[in-house]
Amino acid sequence: MISLSERSQNVTPSSTLAITAKINGMIADGVDVVKFGAGEPDFDTPDYIKAAAITALEDGFTKYTPVPGTPELREAIVEKYKRDNGLSYSTSEVIVSCGAKHTLYNIMQAICDPGDELIFAAPYWVSYPQQIKLAGAVPRVIETTAKQNFCMQSADVAAAINSNTKAILINSPSNPTGTTYDVENLKQIAEIAVKNQVYLISDEIYEALLYDGATHQSPASFNEETKAITFVVNGVSKAYSMTGWRIGYTAGPEDVISAMSRIQSHSTSNPTSIAQKAAVAALNEPQDAVEEMRKAFEERRDVICERFDDIDGVSYVKPQGAFYIFPDFSAHYGRTLDGQKIEGSMDITDYLLGSAGVGVVPGDGFGADKNLRLSFATSLPEINRGLDRIKEALK
């Protein structure tokens, strides 16, 4: 019998996309569901960005572009890093891919050999371990706690480093927890990476969405030694509400960027030409729309936290960024609700969806079965409606 490849059988589907598809299917069938599943802003893409895409279409900008992105877009990215992060790059150190997920995938493919290990924290974004496995490498997960703000501590990273370590992966602000790394802890982790000469992959896709006056600092900005081993990953999906446009990018060591371009040339070739024109407008024009969305997310963050404060048996870490909250529901495990035994995050996810009409994402796919992820990238009325249902369902 002809068989599937071993790597395809070892990879699990995205739990976030799976639950989103299930929720959308129920809504299409007429079921009233409050959605907390999707990891994307509910705002429309700003008009000036859409106008740039329309102009690109009208001008016939619909052909192949250079594999790593147009010179115009890579220049805009170089300027963005300089303006927002205090980082100086050349365009040869920048590549544009089909979303930040694709960017991360290309990094893994370019740096990993079988047996290499990549260190990252749990809870983690669902695709990190799967992408690492697809590259033939080994996920090395460091468990974190709510008391640690769900962030790896430098001492734990130092203890996990070995001769097989190829990279340390940081996600700040984090999906799924919404937490951010303390700068001093991040500096210590960067020093460990420099000392051991392993790559540092900094996933900064949510950098524009920070709350309570917090500011973002990329580890690549600490010093030249750290910058030389760091990939600064970003994209336009979250900050500009452009998830469907599929534009992500990174800056990093030039030899690896070149390797990523070679890999990309045999997979997707260039990112979509029209979307690249739209991304240029997103990065180059005034950032007022980004700030408006950030303020709205901060207000929603405050409301969803207040609502969870009023629900027994649920604890959480207050999100400092992104648009997720990752509360611990494990105090309700062991209960039987509407005849359904609740033993883990999948059970309570199914219960809330089936009995309360609330769509959340189970924490087991993020390496944290005690928790559920809720996206507050939805309106305040929907947040309140959904939390009313959750409170009632857990009584």
Side-chain angles (χ1 to χ4, degrees):
M1 179 180 178
I2 301 173
S3 62
L4 294 170
S5 68
E6 184 176 337
R7 63 180 175 277
S8 71
Q9 296 180 69
N10 287 336
V11 172
T12 57
S14 168
S15 58
T16 55
L17 296 181
I19 193 68
T20 299
K22 184 175 182 179
I23 292 167
N24 289 338
M26 291 175 66
I27 291 171
D29 290 338
V31 180
D32 177 23
V33 178
V34 179
K35 300 192 296 181
F36 291 113
E40 62 180 348
D42 57 318
F43 302 102
D44 193 10
T45 303
D47 287 342
Y48 73 94
I49 297 173
K50 292 192 288 185
I54 292 168
T55 299
L57 279 169
E58 292 174 341
D59 290 347
F61 192 73
T62 57
K63 308 299 183 182
Y64 292 130
T65 77
V67 168
T70 62
E72 181 187 23
L73 178 51
R74 281 182 286 156
E75 286 286 359
I77 292 166
V78 166
E79 288 303 310
K80 175 261 180 284
Y81 282 126
K82 187 180 298 182
R83 177 184 71 234
D84 297 344
N85 307 108
L87 292 167
S88 178
Y89 290 104
S90 66
T91 55
S92 62
E93 296 172 297
V94 170
I95 184 172
V96 186
S97 302
C98 303
K101 179 183 284 189
H102 185 213
T103 300
L104 288 160
Y105 179 85
N106 284 344
I107 292 172
M108 306 302 181
Q109 292 294 319
I111 70 171
C112 291
D113 284 317
D116 285 344
E117 296 183 2
L118 281 82
I119 296 170
F120 57 97
Y124 45 73
W125 180 49
V126 294
S127 292
Y128 290 150
Q130 309 306 325
Q131 290 190 350
I132 291 166
K133 289 189 289 185
L134 280 169
V138 180
R140 184 73 182 272
V141 178
I142 293 180
E143 300 292 336
T144 67
T145 65
K147 288 183 178 179
Q148 296 172 322
N149 205 33
F150 293 125
C151 295
M152 294 185 294
Q153 302 304 296
S154 57
D156 295 325
V157 174
I161 291 272
N162 62 51
S163 59
N164 293 323
T165 304
K166 180 57 71 78
I168 301 166
L169 175 55
I170 300 285
N171 179 208
S172 181
S174 163
N175 175 8
T177 66
T179 58
T180 59
Y181 274 74
D182 170 80
V183 172
E184 284 307 311
N185 183 36
L186 195 54
K187 284 182 177 178
Q188 291 168 11
I189 292 172
E191 289 172 2
I192 293 166
V194 171
K195 178 182 177 182
N196 290 274
Q197 282 300 287
V198 300
Y199 290 117
L200 187 60
I201 303 169
S202 183
D203 183 351
E204 304 179 11
I205 190 68
Y206 295 98
E207 73 159 327
L209 303 178
L210 288 167
Y211 312 126
D212 304 318
T215 56
H216 176 78
Q217 188 168 2
S218 173
S221 68
F222 293 156
N223 51 59
E224 287 300 316
E225 291 80 10
T226 303
K227 181 180 175 234
I229 59 168
T230 300
F231 298 93
V232 185
V233 178
N234 214 314
V236 299
S237 295
K238 312 300 183 179
Y240 302 96
S241 195
M242 294 175 67
T243 50
W245 298 75
R246 309 314 301 137
I247 296 291
Y249 56 84
T250 192
E254 187 172 355
D255 60 333
V256 185
I257 298 297
S258 177
M260 291 169 64
S261 184
R262 294 195 299 273
I263 291 167
Q264 186 163 292
S265 73
H266 294 293
S267 56
T268 61
S269 300
N270 58 277
T272 302
S273 58
I274 303 152
Q276 290 188 67
K277 282 287 189 181
V280 170
L283 294 174
N284 284 348
E285 296 297 322
Q287 304 294 292
D288 298 348
V290 177
E291 177 59 11
E292 288 176 12
M293 288 187 276
R294 189 205 65 78
K295 286 180 178 178
F297 288 134
E298 184 167 24
E299 182 182 8
R300 295 169 182 183
R301 187 276 312 257
D302 292 342
V303 169
I304 202 168
C305 287
E306 290 171 5
R307 294 303 311 271
F308 270 119
D309 287 339
D310 194 38
I311 297 178
D312 292 334
V314 179
S315 61
Y316 65 88
V317 175
K318 189 175 185 179
Q320 297 111 50
F323 38 66
Y324 309 107
I325 189 168
F326 200 57
D328 183 334
F329 280 76
S330 62
H332 294 280
Y333 294 178
R335 296 180 64 191
T336 299
L337 300 170
D338 284 352
Q340 183 175 348
K341 187 74 171 179
I342 306 299
E343 299 287 6
S345 62
M346 278 299 303
D347 294 332
I348 199 162
T349 295
D350 288 341
Y351 167 68
L352 290 175
L353 185 57
S355 297
V358 178
V360 300
V361 183
D364 64 344
F366 302 98
D369 194 43
K370 292 182 178 181
N371 302 71
L372 302 178
R373 193 194 78 173
L374 287 82
S375 166
F376 48 86
T378 189
S379 69
L380 287 173
E382 283 296 276
I383 288 171
N384 281 309
R385 197 163 73 99
L387 269 291
D388 286 342
R389 294 183 178 189
I390 291 173
K391 184 177 180 179
E392 183 65 27
L394 294 178
K395 280 184 178 179

